Structures are given as structure tokens and as C-alpha cells.
Amino acid sequence: MTSLGEQFGVSTGLAKRLASRGDLTGFLMALCQNIGADSYMLVAVLHDQNRSDIRIVASNWIYDAIQLVGHQAIAAIAQSSFAVPPGTRPQPITTRQAPALPGMLSGEEVRLLDVLGHGEIFALRLNVGRQRLFMLLSTAEPGELDPAELSRAQMRCCHALSQVPGLLAAAAQQDPLSDRERECLYWVSEGKTTDEVALILGVSSNTVNSYVAHAIQKFAASNRVMAVATAIRSGII
């Protein structure tokens, strides 16, 4: 039986051509296995005329970590001074017994990351055409990742992902929801009831249920909890 590393070629740095989101997940899992990382998150930063936003392209973070920490904190990590370009020695963000990190993470966010299995995080910028991509690699225990190995993994990611700009762009932009459907799912994720969401948005409860039902159908989910989880993992809410 071949290992993930052998299957996806990360040990030699010659990743196979990635043809699908499944291939991308397999490649990133193999990359983590090869360097000893527990978790990965591939983040795209998107810009429009008024603001910048992030999309989580691929991740094995648990649902609670993304929901509790939030996209704002994830974006702060990805775009912080700790996020180094290829050729620069990676510097760890250590959350184990750390205070707040001013300008990036509050004390509560730091503690949550540690509790949820991200005691040390490395943020790596990826040069992939014009796309702004960042890789977050983490371990539960600090000191387990070799910066030299991380630098090599960073170059492997740049090489492999540069082969599939279309796949990455589609994954980053993938948002099947309308604005109202996204708003409804967001408030549901915040623990609001249907009646409360209706009051917030100024629509009827039946309208809210209709928007949520459409979102569930678009995500091929079995219920609203699964739809919310899918939207959060995809960086849509």
C-alpha cells in the first residue's frame, strides 16, 4: 500500500497534477504527514472595490475551531507579519500560555486556538500567480515542526498549486448562496431562531425558512446544521 506522501509525491517535491478538490485535500494531508503537522488550512484573500475577504479553500480544522475563532482572526493570522514569503525562515505563532497578540489576536482567541489543538501555528505565503494564498500549518504541541522542513514544504506547495490556478480560483470563489441566503445562515450560525432572524432582516419567518431551505438544497445538506458547517468550512460565512 502506498503512503499519502508516495501517492502525491510530496517527499520528492514533484506533486502530481491536481485535478480536483479531492486531489488538493489528499496533497495537503500528505504534506502534513510528511512534515509532522497536525492541521492545515489553505486561505485565499479576495479583494473587491470596498473590502478584502478570505475564503478557506481547503482545511482539516474541526468545525468548532473555525466557528469559535472566526474568520476575522484567521484573516489576521494569514495577513500578519508572521506570514513569511518563500525563502524566509518561518516564525511560529505560539499560543500555548501566550498572552494576547496585539493587532492580531485577543487573549480569548489565543486561548481558544491552544485549547482547540493549535498550540503553535506557522503562516506561509504562497506564490501562485496573481492569487493571494496563505498556508497555515499547526501542531498541538509547540516545537514539533522544523523551520527548514517548513520552508521546503512551502516551496512544494508553490510548485504544486501553480499547476492548477483554475482549480484554486474556482474553489476560492465558490459561493452558491444569494446574499439573503448567506445572511440567514450567518444568523443561524450565531444561534438565532427563525423568528429572531426574521426580525433582524425585516422579513417573515416563512421567508427565512425558505432562504435556509434553499441554502440546504444548494449544499446538498440534510439539515441546517450541516448547511452552516459547510458554509463555515468553505469560508462563505
Side-chain angles (χ1 to χ4, degrees):
M1 179 180 297
T2 59
S3 68
L4 281 171
E6 293 170 335
Q7 181 180 353
F8 286 92
V10 298
S11 60
T12 64
L14 299 174
K16 72 172 221 178
R17 186 169 184 82
L18 307 177
S20 68
R21 291 289 292 274
D23 289 342
L24 178 61
T25 295
F27 172 75
L28 296 175
M29 288 174 62
L31 189 80
C32 283
Q33 183 184 81
N34 195 50
I35 65 174
D38 296 324
S39 303
Y40 68 86
M41 180 182 289
L42 179 61
V43 175
V45 177
L46 309 176
H47 294 283
D48 60 26
Q49 293 181 344
N50 301 314
R51 64 189 178 95
S52 63
D53 197 6
I54 68 162
R55 290 285 186 271
I56 299 174
V57 178
S59 172
N60 68 346
W61 286 37
I62 62 172
Y63 170 81
D64 283 347
I66 296 174
Q67 183 182 45
L68 293 174
V69 175
H71 281 72
Q72 184 174 352
I74 293 170
I77 294 171
Q79 300 184 85
S80 72
S81 60
F82 287 90
V84 299
T88 303
R89 183 179 178 85
Q91 298 296 319
I93 301 168
T94 304
T95 64
R96 177 64 49 86
Q97 299 180 340
L101 297 171
M104 184 168 62
L105 298 172
S106 68
E108 180 181 358
E109 290 166 337
V110 169
R111 288 189 293 274
L112 275 173
L113 284 165
D114 183 25
V115 168
L116 293 167
H118 305 279
E120 188 171 79
I121 304 171
F122 287 86
L124 310 174
R125 295 183 193 176
L126 303 180
N127 293 340
V128 183
R130 295 184 178 181
Q131 299 184 71
R132 292 191 63 196
L133 296 171
F134 299 85
M135 176 68 72
L136 308 184
L137 295 170
S138 58
T139 56
E141 297 294 330
E144 294 190 352
L145 295 181
D146 179 356
E149 284 296 323
L150 281 167
S151 293
R152 285 190 281 271
Q154 184 177 17
M155 295 303 298
R156 288 196 290 270
C157 280
C158 292
H159 172 75
L161 299 182
S162 65
Q163 301 178 53
V164 287
L167 172 64
L168 294 176
Q173 297 285 354
Q174 188 175 24
D175 184 353
L177 304 184
S178 69
D179 289 342
R180 279 303 197 188
E181 291 164 353
R182 192 182 311 106
E183 286 177 325
C184 287
L185 273 194
Y186 169 77
W187 288 115
V188 169
S189 75
E190 292 291 305
K192 303 299 184 183
T193 66
T194 296
D195 289 341
E196 288 171 334
V197 176
L199 182 61
I200 291 169
L201 299 182
V203 298
S204 70
S205 296
N206 286 340
T207 299
V208 170
N209 284 330
S210 177
Y211 283 133
V212 172
H214 290 159
I216 291 171
Q217 182 178 26
K218 287 179 178 180
F219 284 135
S222 59
N223 53 49
R224 62 175 57 191
V225 174
M226 286 185 63
V228 166
T230 300
I232 289 174
R233 289 194 182 101
S234 302
I236 291 173
I237 62 173

